Amino acid sequence: MQMMLRDRDYPELLEELKGRKVLIWTCNTCARLCDVGGRENAEALAGRLREDGVEVVGISSTGASCIASNVRRCREDVPDGYDVVVALTCDIGSQLAGTVFGRPVVNPVATLGTGYRDDSRACIIFGRGGDGDVSLEKEAERLGLDTGPIVRSPSI
């Protein structure tokens, strides 16, 4: 699975999106498991953006947004009228969304590489520590990035 962290805070993303019509696209696999994406986080972000005056025309998601057929299948259900895609996905899912949706993509997520969830369900990145694997939280601290969603919903 791909390991991801947020690379900016909400105010920075909001500034980037002001005056634009937004489609939020997310992955319900790796991004959800890393808590930077998934349908629930996308809905929380959409709600906050709308409160702050950004026109969010829709939210769409799939499992494994790195699989072209998944993204194309979802494209059929996406409303028209947006000029930018906010991708809560890994780099590959973000690039694929740009190709399939044919719009510019803003991706507030940093993809760190591959990893796994250990028995305690913690996200672990392969080969990042001097002695091997390291937790996503420790890598976030080292890089000065944040874990978790851009906007926390009341249930998170």
Side-chain angles (χ1 to χ4, degrees):
M1 101 183 219
Q2 291 294 319
M3 294 291 144
M4 294 162 263
L5 296 168
R6 287 188 291 122
D7 74 355
R8 68 197 83 173
D9 290 325
Y10 178 78
E12 295 171 272
L13 180 62
L14 176 62
E15 190 61 34
E16 221 173 324
L17 299 176
K18 282 186 177 177
R20 301 171 90 179
K21 295 179 182 179
V22 174
L23 169 71
I24 298 177
W25 171 252
T26 191
C27 178
N28 284 315
T29 308
C30 301
R32 179 183 58 82
L33 293 171
C34 290
D35 203 25
V36 295
R39 187 74 186 199
E40 186 175 359
N41 288 328
E43 288 173 357
L45 177 59
R48 179 80 183 273
L49 287 170
R50 287 176 176 132
E51 287 174 12
D52 289 329
V54 174
E55 185 176 347
V56 177
V57 301
I59 301 168
S60 191
S61 63
T62 189
S65 65
C66 56
I67 298 174
S69 60
N70 288 358
V71 181
R72 280 195 303 272
R73 186 173 38 256
C74 291
R75 170 65 183 105
E76 297 169 6
D77 298 325
V78 169
D80 285 326
Y82 60 96
D83 50 39
V84 67
V85 176
V86 173
L88 303 178
T89 67
C90 69
D91 292 344
I92 296 167
S94 173
Q95 291 172 11
L96 190 54
T99 299
V100 171
F101 296 124
R103 304 288 199 295
V105 175
V106 172
N107 186 357
V109 176
T111 302
L112 304 178
T114 58
Y116 59 95
R117 289 186 91 173
D118 68 9
D119 293 338
S120 69
R121 301 185 50 81
C123 291
I124 307 296
I125 304 169
F126 282 121
R128 283 294 175 119
D131 296 323
D133 303 346
V134 67
S135 74
L136 190 60
E137 288 77 17
K138 285 185 181 180
E139 187 68 355
E141 185 178 321
R142 185 184 77 76
L143 295 170
L145 297 175
D146 293 309
T147 61
I150 293 173
V151 172
R152 295 200 183 272
S153 71
S155 64
I156 293 179

